[in-house]
Structure formats: C-alpha cells, structure tokens
Amino acid sequence: MDMKRDYYEDVQLFKSGVVLFWTSALLILLFTFPLYAPNYYIYLLNIIMVHVILAVGLNILAGSTGQISLGHAGFFAIGAYGTAMLMSTFHIPFLLAIIIAAFVAAFFGFILGLPALRLEGPYLAIASLGFGLTIMHIIGAMEIFGGRMGMKTPPLDLGIKQLGFSLPVTNDLQKYYLILIIAIIMVVGAVNILKTRVGRSFVAIRDSDIAAEVIGVNLPIYKTLAFAVSAFYAGIAGGLFGFILGFFDPFTFNMILSIMFLVMVVVGGLGTVSGSIMGATLITYLQYDLFKNIAEVPYFGKFMLYISDKWFTTVGLENFSSMAIGLIMIGIIIFEPLGMFGVWIRFKKYWMTWPF
C-alpha cells in the first residue's frame, strides 16, 4: 500500500516515476502521431481532443461536484459563435478571442449555477437542458450570428495582424498541434484545480453539501464557481470545434450533443480526469468512425445490414450509433459504475499483484 509521508506528495503532478514514464511516452506518441497517420485520423483526433477538453470540464461539475448538467451544448455554442464573431467582426486575435468567448461562457455558467443553489438531481438537469435549448434558439434567431443559416469561421491566424505579425493555421495538421497544446494545458489545469482548496470544496459538496457547509464551505460560491469553471472549459472546446468544422449552425449544438457529453463522462468514470479522457476518446471514436462505417466492418457489417433490412426502418442502420451508445452506457452503469477508469483500476491491480 502506498503511504504518503509528505504533503507535497499529494500535490505533485506525477505520483511516481512509472507515471512520469508512461505520460512521457503518451506525449511522444501524440506529438509524432501525424508522421505515420493518415490525414483522416488527424481530423478525427482533433475532434477527440476537443471533446476531451469539454469532458474534463464537465467532469469537474458532474463528477467532482455532483451537479448534473444537460446544457453544455449551449456553452459549447457560446464558445464557437463567440470566438468566430470576435475574430470576424472585431478583428480580435484568435487566442484572445477564444479566451474572451470562454469567459462569456463562464459568465453564463455562473448564471446557470444560481438555480443550482435550490435545485438538485433531475430538477437541475431539466433546468440546464432548458438553458441549452434556449441558447440554441436565441442564436438561431439573431442575424448577427447568421441566423438559422449558420456561420462560417474566419481564417485561423495565431498572429496579431494589427502589429504586422501573422501565423496562419490552414490545415488539419497545424490545427492538430494547436489543439493538442491547448488540450494538455486544460487537462493539467483540471488536475491542479482538483488538488487545490477549491477542488477539495467541490468534492466535499458532492459527498454531502450539508456536511460541507458545516465545515465552512461556502455553498453559493463554490456551486456557481463549479458551473463557471465547467462552462469555461466548454467555451474553449467550442471555440476550437468551430475551426475544425469551418462552418456550423445552431442545430449543430442540439440536445443530443449535450447528452453525448454526459455519456462521455459517465462511460469514462465520474470524478476522474483520466476517466474523462478515456470516455471522450471512446465515445467520439465510436460515434464519428466505427459506428458511422459499421456496414464496412467484416462479417459484422453484413449482419447489421441484414438486421437493418429486415427489422429496422430505411434509416435504421444510421440510428445504430445511438442505440449502441445507449447500450454501452447501460452496460457501464450495471457492470462497472466507475466506468472505464474502474476497468483501468482493476487491470492495474491485477498487473501489480500478478501472479497472486
């Protein structure tokens, strides 16, 4: 059993040399991935990393604080539309624009967090769902955001044109490294937030808000702060997502998207940053790649086509993705409530104690 002998052991980023080794190996793999991967997988990994950022932020709210949100597609939309509009209308540099848009999303998260002082569980989930739907329809009704026709992102430039410095990002490979660096910063930030007094207060509220208040945790501040932090992460993710697509409309950020974000967190493992990464990676891969091309999978694809022709509607196979992800989530809840992180813990214990 690992026993901590110093307070610094609790706040250090890497718990052991083994963790440092495998983290370094993963980073080397990610930074060299474009050297041996087709361009399609670079595009897919860009989407995965954006979802990782959002899932890590949502896990701070749902997993660490115990507050369920079904409205994160709204914060996602604020990040995407805010970043694109600040750049195209006010000619603000990208990095500054995405941070401002994320703070706007955080402000709306703070506003949405106020009902959390009175609502819990399914009531809070319904309230947040209403927020997400409201944001989608408000954006769709405003011509400044392109209305229901959508909005095209401006050229992505990391420089400051006003100072004569330009650093254009034009292809998926350049976007990959930009998103990768931002994703690493956001993940490390989430890990450190959960180690601070704020993060411990979040966990105390999740375990028992009454007990947390008794020991001095200010519930109004920390509950709204959890929403704001989570919305900030969603705003950053939305700002990056807009430039991956190049064009988006209000219905891109629909209710199903909010549900899928929550599925990523639950499947990965509530309350863990590692679980958020694993859940976002698995669900995004299944949704954007494997299930979309299920008909091309050897043997199983033909079987699914047969099932679709015989039992499904004419678009039945396209609905297979939603059905399969729903079944995966039900299976995770029944057989492994800790999600993929729980599976990883079991594998790790088996490996460390083998052959006993």
Side-chain angles (χ1 to χ4, degrees):
M1 180 178 177
D2 296 332
M3 296 188 64
K4 295 175 182 174
R5 298 175 177 79
D6 195 296
Y7 284 115
Y8 288 105
E9 293 183 29
D10 202 34
V11 298
Q12 62 186 355
L13 191 59
F14 303 104
K15 293 181 180 179
S16 65
V18 175
V19 176
L20 175 61
F21 171 79
W22 285 111
T23 304
S24 302
L26 177 61
L27 291 177
I28 292 172
L29 176 66
L30 289 173
F31 276 98
T32 59
F33 183 77
L35 298 178
Y36 41 80
N39 193 55
Y40 167 73
Y41 287 102
I42 295 174
Y43 167 78
L44 180 63
L45 205 54
N46 284 343
I47 297 177
I48 289 175
M49 289 190 292
V50 165
H51 286 171
V52 164
I53 295 173
L54 190 139
V56 167
L58 181 56
N59 214 339
I60 291 176
L61 179 69
S64 300
T65 318
Q67 301 182 100
I68 302 300
S69 171
L70 287 174
H72 264 54
F75 303 127
F76 202 50
I78 292 172
Y81 275 94
T83 305
M85 195 189 74
L86 287 170
M87 291 181 66
S88 59
T89 305
F90 299 101
H91 306 291
I92 296 177
F94 167 73
L95 292 177
L96 183 59
I98 194 172
I99 291 174
I100 293 174
F103 272 111
V104 173
F107 171 76
F108 280 96
F110 171 79
I111 298 297
L112 183 60
L114 294 176
L117 304 176
R118 299 282 184 182
L119 302 176
E120 290 184 350
Y123 303 102
L124 179 59
I126 295 299
S128 60
L129 177 62
F131 167 80
L133 294 174
T134 303
I135 289 292
M136 184 180 74
H137 287 287
I138 288 177
I139 289 176
M142 298 179 70
E143 289 302 321
I144 190 174
F145 294 119
R148 297 182 183 277
M149 298 300 292
M151 188 173 188
K152 185 179 179 182
T153 55
L156 180 55
D157 195 329
L158 299 181
I160 304 175
K161 289 185 177 180
Q162 292 83 346
L163 299 179
F165 171 62
S166 181
L167 188 59
V169 178
T170 56
N171 55 45
D172 287 336
L173 177 61
Q174 294 170 333
K175 292 176 186 175
Y176 172 82
Y177 284 110
L178 170 67
I179 297 171
L180 175 60
I181 292 171
I182 294 177
I184 292 172
I185 293 172
M186 301 302 287
V187 170
V188 172
V191 171
N192 284 312
I193 286 174
L194 295 176
K195 290 179 179 178
T196 62
R197 179 180 177 182
V198 174
R200 296 180 195 281
S201 298
F202 289 164
V203 175
I205 292 172
R206 177 196 63 189
D207 293 342
S208 173
D209 53 356
I210 296 175
E213 192 170 22
V214 169
I215 63 176
V217 175
N218 190 320
L219 293 186
I221 290 180
Y222 285 105
K223 280 194 170 183
T224 52
L225 182 61
F227 263 98
V229 171
S230 185
F232 182 86
Y233 271 75
I236 293 288
L240 295 171
F241 187 69
F243 285 96
I244 295 176
L245 297 182
F247 174 84
F248 46 84
D249 59 46
F251 300 102
T252 305
F253 310 95
N254 54 31
M255 180 183 67
I256 300 299
L257 190 62
S258 289
I259 295 173
M260 294 309 300
F261 290 153
L262 193 59
V263 169
M264 291 175 190
V265 174
V266 173
V267 169
L270 286 167
T272 66
V273 174
S274 304
S276 308
I277 297 171
M278 290 188 281
T281 303
L282 176 67
I283 296 299
T284 308
Y285 168 72
L286 293 178
Q287 190 181 16
Y288 282 81
D289 188 76
L290 184 61
F291 290 161
K292 186 175 287 186
N293 304 311
I294 193 69
E296 300 174 7
V297 176
Y299 305 111
F300 187 71
K302 291 183 179 178
F303 172 72
M304 286 307 304
L305 284 173
Y306 170 75
I307 294 294
S308 175
D309 294 338
K310 192 170 182 63
W311 301 104
F312 291 175
T313 63
T314 53
V315 293
L317 198 55
E318 294 183 8
N319 292 330
F320 175 76
S321 175
S322 302
M323 296 167 57
I325 289 175
L327 291 174
I328 289 172
M329 187 168 177
I330 292 172
I332 286 286
I333 292 172
I334 294 175
F335 298 107
E336 186 51 85
L338 294 178
M340 295 177 67
F341 182 74
V343 176
W344 163 246
I345 291 296
R346 289 174 187 271
F347 174 77
K348 186 179 174 183
K349 284 184 178 179
Y350 176 80
W351 176 263
M352 294 181 70
T353 57
W354 188 85
F356 301 103

